[in-house]
Amino acid sequence: QSALTQPASVSGSPGQSITISCTGTSSDVGTQKFVSWYQQHPGKAPKLIIYEGSKRPSGISNRFSGSKSGNTASLTISGLQAEDEADYYCCSFSTSDTSAYVFGSGTKVTVL
Amino acid sequence: QVQLVQSGAEVKTPGASAKISCKASGYTLTNHYTHWVRLAPGQGLEWMGTIDPSGSWTNSAQMFQDRVTMTRDLSTSTFYMELSSLTSDDTAVYYCAREAALAAKNFDYWGQGTLVTVSS
């Protein structure tokens, strides 16, 4: 099962908005509502920031938002802050025979 | 509060096995699936497998199917993941993670990670 495709890096200035794409297939993103997003700072465990495509867990800033169209899910970070600099991964439940879950390749967000 | 505390870093030689523990607290273990995910250097997160709330059913990614064993000891609230026939490609940080709720299919709490280094 190949990883979901994400851009390797995205950058933006403080206060700007950025969007990270996550492209999968009809076995995962395209047919699943179970798309989640994780933020990971260096040396730390991943943190859930979006689940079921667009829902935010309690305590997660509303600057983070998720959406999906066809085989591509997207994470938007608005009002970019220095603390948002991290790696971001999408994840989808999958009906593939090879793996029940598939993660994205990861995107490094840099705040300029 | 929910906590997942993993065992410490390990160094293994090629061909050996690594067994990582993940001690859970602050919630009812029998209400949640537990998953294992790894992060290799320069790579992205990779889902390895899961154990169900009863501790009797496991499902793993095809690439690990022959090498991974996931178990649970309810008496100590501890999950275990053993990976055998290690190669240098298995050098990674291994995480346990709790599925948020039955059929939630997302991971809301994570262990701190365990570094496994495979080197001759």
Side-chain angles (χ1 to χ4, degrees):
Chain A
Q1 176 77 2
S2 299
L4 306 176
T5 301
Q6 297 182 232
S9 63
V10 173
S11 62
S13 299
Q16 286 187 329
S17 293
I18 62 169
T19 297
I20 302 168
S21 61
C22 167
T23 301
T25 70
S26 58
S27 295
D28 38 67
V29 176
T31 54
Q32 292 295 322
K33 73 171 186 175
F34 299 109
V35 175
S36 50
W37 288 88
Y38 301 86
Q39 176 193 63
Q40 187 174 32
H41 288 104
K44 300 294 187 182
K47 178 182 180 181
L48 176 68
I49 55 173
I50 294 287
Y51 68 99
E52 290 183 17
S54 60
K55 298 178 181 178
R56 281 187 307 277
S58 174
I60 298 300
S61 171
N62 59 9
R63 297 186 300 104
F64 294 95
S65 61
S67 62
K68 192 185 87 165
S69 177
N71 289 346
T72 299
S74 299
L75 172 72
T76 297
I77 308 175
S78 58
L80 201 60
Q81 299 180 359
E83 68 207 48
D84 300 332
E85 186 160 298
D87 293 325
Y88 291 81
Y89 295 93
C90 58
C91 179
S92 176
F93 181 72
S94 172
T95 56
S96 162
D97 289 340
T98 56
S99 182
Y101 292 84
V102 59
F103 279 93
S105 45
T107 298
K108 169 67 176 176
V109 168
T110 300
V111 181
L112 302 171
Chain B
Q1 71 282 22
V2 174
Q3 279 194 306
L4 297 171
V5 179
Q6 298 183 223
S7 48
E10 300 188 23
V11 179
K12 297 292 183 181
T13 53
S17 297
K19 188 171 185 178
I20 300 166
S21 67
C22 168
K23 185 171 177 60
S25 61
Y27 69 100
T28 303
L29 270 61
T30 52
N31 288 347
H32 296 266
Y33 283 76
T34 298
H35 299 259
W36 292 89
V37 176
R38 76 178 185 181
L39 181 64
Q43 306 291 316
L45 295 172
E46 185 170 36
W47 183 80
M48 298 182 68
T50 186
I51 185 166
D52 81 330
S54 74
S56 61
W57 178 85
T58 62
N59 180 32
S60 58
Q62 197 172 79
M63 69 175 291
F64 301 108
Q65 219 156 33
D66 297 332
R67 299 197 293 135
V68 70
T69 303
M70 293 167 286
T71 56
R72 183 195 73 184
D73 182 344
L74 202 52
S75 67
T76 59
S77 301
T78 302
F79 298 90
Y80 299 92
M81 189 281 294
E82 183 170 22
L83 189 63
S84 62
S85 303
L86 294 169
T87 71
S88 58
D89 289 342
D90 294 314
T91 293
V93 177
Y94 290 80
Y95 297 97
C96 58
R98 187 187 83 159
E99 187 166 335
L102 289 177
K105 299 183 177 13
N106 61 76
F107 318 124
D108 63 346
Y109 285 92
W110 296 65
Q112 83 276 19
T114 297
L115 174 62
V116 174
T117 303
V118 183
S119 174
S120 54

